Amino acid sequence: MHKIITSTLTLGAALFLLAGCSSSSSSSKTASSSSTTAKKSSSAQTSSSTSSQSSQAETSSASSSQVAATSSTPWNSAKAQQLRSFMNSWGPSMHQSYAELSPGDYQWFGGVNNTIGSYEGDGSTFEWSTTGTGNYDYNVVAMYNYNKSPQGDGTASTNIGEYHITYAFAYHNGQPVALVSQSTNGGMVWTPTKNATVQSNWARIAGSATN
């Protein structure tokens, strides 16, 4: 009887120890699985963060390139607005009113490709430019016209009349030059303006650092 009890106790102890080992092994597997899942999640987050930072860097680089491209040209829309504001305020101070011309407006005197007349008859080439650069002697970025009359009065007009004062704002060898034409026959003959206010303000606007 004593042997049976002892055997029973021994068997029970063995089963208890076996159950404990099984539970420990299961817990270890669960912990290992949780650790692996956490590492994968952390790795995925790191990869996502790196990808996001890379994308932001590429976007920033592209934006910087666009700014640099804009800054590398001497003429842009911001400067065009400055010139427009100047002409709209300066004209009335001279009892004149100027209309801004476009290449489409300037075809009455123009030859092929909107070539703008001649410069003092010396054969210099003129052409419209949206950037202030080009392969011409004078790269014209803006023109303004005022039609006057023999009686002295006049009006702003995009159609250049026989009696007119027309300004061409250009870059010549990279430098800003304001030209004027008041010819009444023989096409447009351009000369540098003698109006110091126009020339100085044009030089200021054309050479400004506005992007």
Side-chain angles (χ1 to χ4, degrees), residues 139-204:
N139 295 291
V140 177
V141 295
M143 291 183 68
Y144 286 81
N145 180 65
Y146 165 73
N147 284 343
K148 57 184 180 178
S149 71
Q151 289 74 32
D153 57 349
T155 184
S157 177
T158 56
N159 293 314
I160 301 174
E162 181 179 4
Y163 298 93
H164 62 93
I165 302 176
T166 310
Y167 284 97
F169 297 95
Y171 286 87
H172 174 57
N173 294 328
Q175 298 301 311
V177 178
L179 305 172
V180 64
S181 173
Q182 300 185 67
S183 55
T184 58
N185 54 57
M188 302 292 280
V189 178
W190 299 92
T191 58
T193 181
K194 294 180 180 179
N195 189 297
T197 301
V198 172
Q199 179 55 42
S200 63
N201 277 276
W202 166 234
R204 172 183 60 79

